[in-house]
Amino acid sequence: MSDTIKLITPVDGSVYAERPVASAAEIDKAVAEARSAQAAWAATPLSERCDAVLAAVAALEAMNDEIVPELAWQMGRPVRYGGEKGGTRERADYMVKIAEEALAPRHHTDRPGFTRYVKPEPLGVVLIIAPWNYPFMTAINTIVPALIAGNTVILKHAAQTLLVGERLAKAFEIAGVPKGVFRNIVLNHGQTEQLLASGRIDHINFTGSVGGGRAIEKAAAGTFASLGLELGGKDPSYVREDADVAFAIEGMGDGAFFNAGQCCCGVERVYVHEKHYDQVVEGLVAFASNYKLGNPLEEATTLGPMAQARFAAHVREQTAEALRKGAKALVDPKLFPEDREGTAYLMPQVLVDVDHQMSVMREESFGPVVGVMKVRSDEEAIALMNDSPYGLTASIWTSDEAAAISIGDRVETGTVFMNRCDYLDPALVWTGVKETGKGAALSELGYLSLTRPKSYHLRTKT
């Protein structure tokens, strides 16, 4: 096993950062300090825990001018988009806002002579294995409620975004959280599996691939640690006959191609009522054609490289397989001279004449490609949306809210959108079905995932 982690930048393929992995002694120390600090942290007044979290978020915001180019170097997102400051703040603020109510004991007063209530208690030590695509916001989804609920947190960030873990650690240091409450650690896969199997972790949160999720479940088997897993996705959009087509095109285009398509809930396949099919295809092609692919450190760039060349190669192969099976690619490659085989730079693409025998309509792409199919009815659209091993979000573009709810009730997904997509509302639980995983993040249900219920049954009259 390697004793260092190298971060290869997608900008030019060079080594942007390199860090040694933690030693066995350092891992043991991190876990021991987290365990030791947890009881005192849980006993700290809730208002103080909330203040500490908000102070850390403020410290991150103060670093944003440095963070934005670092993100471009690490995972390729263009600097023009300004990083993840807004989303991080929104999620943290909301979880602080609901903390007192979400973590309050639930009292039952229907039996005189007894005091009866259920109190949420922290789980203990939480290990967060964070992804690179939205490296601050995805980590914050669990860090914030875990700490507010009284847990201590060990963060293992993706190799592609090593510096994000360091930034978060610095922010919590500036915020003055006690030693052991938050710790960033660099681990390789073998070390991570050993830690999961050790029985010293109480809750594991992982965002990543289905294969990664299975490996984590296997490594943690028998430890009884609870799991939160957000895994693969192949999120569909459906444009109904009564949709505002121009609005749908704009929303789906952004949902499909922003961040080079590297969004957990990005639009990966589109089903369109036959009445609007030609217009939607035309619109998506025009939308994709307007991107400027290039160096993410340049303000003119609107589409950066994918995080790794191998991710781009996967999307290229999916597209090539679809073309071999009869699909057509409609975005002109001449508009994107920066797209070069073997690199992370990949143009956006819209495919038609696709079907569910093609990988691009069934398996996660996680890149800037979308397939579009014509449908004749809601029934046909629902069947196609459900013909997937995944289920994170689904978006329905319609002027009929009742129809959106009715369709949404039948779609196998964690979130139903109407007339929007690719957005995480912290008031609503973030969860998935099927191979997308299990567990709950954000909202009051996110607190339930990071606490255990403890019942008090007190007889006050004898």
Side-chain angles (χ1 to χ4, degrees), residues 10-11 75-81 257-262 287-308 312 316 331-349 367-369:
V11 175
M75 48 74 65
R77 188 183 309 132
V79 295
R80 67 180 290 127
Y81 297 120
F257 303 121
F258 184 76
N259 205 40
Q262 299 169 129
F287 192 98
S289 299
N290 281 330
Y291 275 98
K292 166 61 178 168
L293 176 65
N295 188 323
L297 295 158
E298 297 174 2
E299 281 290 335
T301 297
T302 57
L303 189 71
M306 297 189 68
Q308 293 184 19
R316 287 188 175 101
V331 180
D332 187 354
K334 293 177 183 176
L335 297 173
F336 298 94
E338 300 85 357
D339 181 331
R340 299 184 302 279
E341 191 80 27
T343 75
Y345 289 86
L346 180 67
M347 65 175 282
Q349 189 54 269
V369 61

Side-chain angles (χ1 to χ4, degrees), residues 9 146 182 229 311:
T9 174
F182 180 87
L229 302 173
F311 300 154

Side-chain angles (χ1 to χ4, degrees), residues 397-419:
W397 304 81
T398 177
S399 59
D400 187 338
E401 182 177 325
I405 293 170
S406 176
I407 293 166
D409 286 345
R410 297 172 60 193
V411 175
E412 298 159 353
T413 190
T415 294
V416 177
F417 289 115
M418 172 181 162
N419 295 333

